């Protein structure tokens, strides 16, 4: 394989990794916007301070828990209003 082809392959691999990270980041930003406004800033700060993809995945877990709590609150409040 020529040096040019090796370089192109390496660049393509780097671009694919960056693309996946950008998609992950955009997904987390979308999920953060589903969180009640008073708590969004903490999650945004956590995203900005994430130093690895693993930390972003941990943040996604925390967001899922928060959204579950919000859903449960709405359900319970809905039952109380019936």
């Amino acid at each position: 394989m020529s040096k040019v082809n090796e370089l192109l392959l390496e660049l393509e691999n780097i671009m694919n990794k960056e693309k996946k990270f950008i998609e992950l980041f955009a997904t987390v930003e979308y999920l953060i916007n589903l969180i009640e406004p008073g708590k969004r800033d903490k999650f945004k700060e956590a995203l900005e301070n994430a130093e690895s993809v693993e930390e972003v995945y941990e943040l996604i877990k925390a967001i899922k828990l928060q959204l579950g709590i919000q859903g449960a609150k709405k359900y319970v409040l809905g039952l109380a209003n019936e």
Side-chain angles (χ1 to χ4, degrees):
M1 187 181 283
S2 73
K3 291 283 187 185
V4 173
N5 285 339
E6 287 178 24
L7 181 59
L8 289 174
L9 184 60
E10 184 178 337
L11 286 172
E12 185 177 340
N13 289 335
I14 291 170
M15 288 173 40
N16 284 334
K17 286 180 186 177
E18 292 295 321
K19 177 183 172 189
K20 289 177 184 177
F21 185 74
I22 290 168
E23 289 171 351
L24 178 62
F25 196 86
T27 300
V28 174
E29 285 185 328
Y30 172 78
L31 291 173
I32 288 172
N33 285 322
L34 298 176
I35 294 173
E36 54 193 43
K39 298 186 179 181
R40 283 185 197 153
D41 288 339
K42 292 284 185 188
F43 288 93
K44 286 180 183 180
E45 183 180 335
L47 180 59
E48 290 171 7
N49 292 329
E51 295 181 359
S52 67
V53 173
E54 290 78 19
E55 288 183 8
V56 176
Y57 283 122
E58 289 299 316
L59 179 57
I60 290 172
K61 289 178 188 177
I63 291 170
K64 286 180 179 180
L65 288 172
Q66 177 62 37
L67 293 174
I69 290 167
Q70 288 175 204
K73 281 182 185 177
K74 286 182 182 179
Y75 176 75
V76 169
L77 290 174
L79 289 178
N81 292 329
E82 289 181 0

